Amino acid sequence: MRGITVPTVQAGHAIGVDLGGTKILAGVVARDGSIVRRHERPTPQDSQEHVLGELEAAVDALFDESVSAVGFGVPSPIDQQRGVVVRAVNVPLEDAPLRDRMHERFGVPIGLDNDANAAAIGEWRAGAGRGEDDLVMVTLGTGVGGGVISGGRPFRGRDGAGVELGHVVIVHDGRPCQGACNGRGHLEAYVSGTAASAAARETFGPSADAHRLVRLANEGDEQARELLEEVGRYLGSGIGSFVNVFGPQLVVLGGGFGVAAYEYLLGPAEGVTRREALEPMRSTVQLAKAELGTAAGLIGAAFVGFEAADA
Ligand SMILES: [Zn+2]
């Protein structure tokens, strides 16, 4: 041992902040993706000013001289040119100049991204997608989201909003989509945890939901397994199309429902994916389960911070 290691600017940590509907998850993250320290506080619901103040407080609780950048994952499209949160879902933030405000407060480079992009970046840098330059992450939770890494860079589109993988059509004129979406036959309406809960209620009664469906499948219930396998086949329709569009080496499946039901979804999803995808992707693409759980967003947000620092 060479004595005491003093943290320096060269240690180059970034703080990642994952803004969720109920919690702000923050952490100091090293360049290898490991979390050095964590901080968590509730997300206020009353006003934009209160949310911005709590985001500042979360960063402030972790900030030290080793921190060279801060990144935020926010459930909203991001105007990357202006560094503005356009309009968040489930959090009172609209047209919020987050980048300038945080830069003024902390004096380091600030990166912003959509929360689903941040989770995909987390899995790419430190989880199931480590070492892959081309990957698609699909998250199955209350809704369906995702992110794309293409040629070793996050794909954000012209407006920086990223991709809405849950809102591609897999059945023309199919089921109405969820929430504020007016579309029909979108992937989300067939493979989200919400859709699985609806299928569970139809078969097992009004108190059933996606959690119970997975539990029943784990206990060997054939009907529950068949319902999940059907979800998996729909998922394969979506993934097969993503593979044809983006040509990834790897598709990572995440989100609370996606991870919980993974072993039942994987086989049918992979079968349909390989039917729909064209060569050479059909033979080469791999599917994998997300590894970072709820930490993916804050780790990815930290890498969005590193990206801003390195720009
Ligand atoms: Zn939709």
Side-chain angles (χ1 to χ4, degrees):
M1 299 300 284
R2 292 185 177 213
I4 302 160
T5 306
V6 180
T8 62
V9 176
Q10 286 71 34
H13 295 150
I15 292 174
V17 182
D18 179 19
L19 175 62
T22 57
K23 279 182 286 190
I24 296 169
L25 301 177
V28 176
V29 176
R31 287 265 181 184
D32 66 359
S34 58
I35 299 175
V36 180
R37 284 195 305 288
R38 285 174 185 256
H39 179 77
E40 183 180 326
R41 57 203 297 133
T43 303
Q45 289 297 334
D46 50 352
S47 72
Q48 174 152 314
E49 189 48 41
H50 197 183
V51 174
L52 292 172
E54 289 301 294
L55 289 172
E56 275 182 2
V59 174
D60 201 40
L62 293 168
F63 202 88
D64 65 18
E65 71 274 17
S66 77
V67 173
S68 58
V70 181
F72 293 86
V74 182
S76 166
I78 304 297
D79 181 334
Q80 291 287 355
Q81 306 244 302
R82 297 191 299 139
V84 163
V85 175
V86 177
R87 188 179 183 178
V89 185
N90 301 324
V91 180
L93 280 185
E94 189 170 346
D95 201 26
L98 187 60
R99 190 170 64 203
D100 283 355
R101 173 155 173 163
M102 293 295 162
H103 182 68
E104 272 166 34
R105 174 72 173 76
F106 296 103
V108 294
I110 306 291
L112 309 182
D113 213 336
N114 170 269
D115 60 345
N117 264 1
I121 292 167
E123 289 290 340
W124 168 46
R125 293 296 200 171
R130 228 180 171 134
E132 302 287 356
D133 282 342
D134 293 274
L135 73 86
V136 171
M137 181 171 179
V138 185
T139 57
L140 312 186
T142 307
V144 174
V148 172
I149 308 298
S150 180
R153 299 179 54 157
F155 176 87
R156 297 194 172 98
R158 178 177 172 274
D159 296 323
V163 291
E164 289 289 355
L165 299 182
H167 301 277
V168 299
V169 177
I170 58 164
V171 179
H172 173 69
D173 212 18
R175 293 179 196 166
C177 201
Q178 299 176 185
C181 181
N182 293 321
R184 282 188 169 267
H186 291 184
L187 182 63
E188 180 168 299
Y190 295 83
V191 307
S192 64
T194 310
S197 288
R201 280 194 298 275
E202 261 180 46
T203 303
F204 297 103
S207 66
D209 62 8
H211 295 281
R212 178 141 169 246
L213 194 57
V214 173
R215 204 176 66 234
L216 286 167
N218 286 339
E219 289 165 2
D221 187 291
E222 279 304 320
Q223 269 186 305
R225 289 185 176 188
E226 176 46 42
L227 283 178
L228 290 172
E229 284 164 13
E230 184 177 61
V231 170
R233 288 190 288 274
Y234 281 118
L235 180 61
S237 294
I239 292 176
S241 296
F242 303 148
V243 168
N244 283 335
V245 172
F246 296 108
Q249 294 151 305
L250 184 71
V251 177
V252 179
L253 192 59
F257 173 63
V259 168
Y262 184 78
E263 64 175 296
Y264 305 105
L265 302 176
L266 177 65
E270 187 169 1
V272 175
T273 295
R274 294 202 194 283
R275 184 185 76 197
E276 303 301 342
L278 301 184
E279 292 291 4
M281 295 86 83
R282 182 208 308 254
S283 306
T284 57
V285 70
Q286 300 292 319
L287 274 65
K289 181 162 72 170
E291 291 177 359
L292 301 178
T294 54
L298 84 85
I299 293 171
F303 277 96
V304 172
F306 284 133
E307 197 183 330
D310 296 342

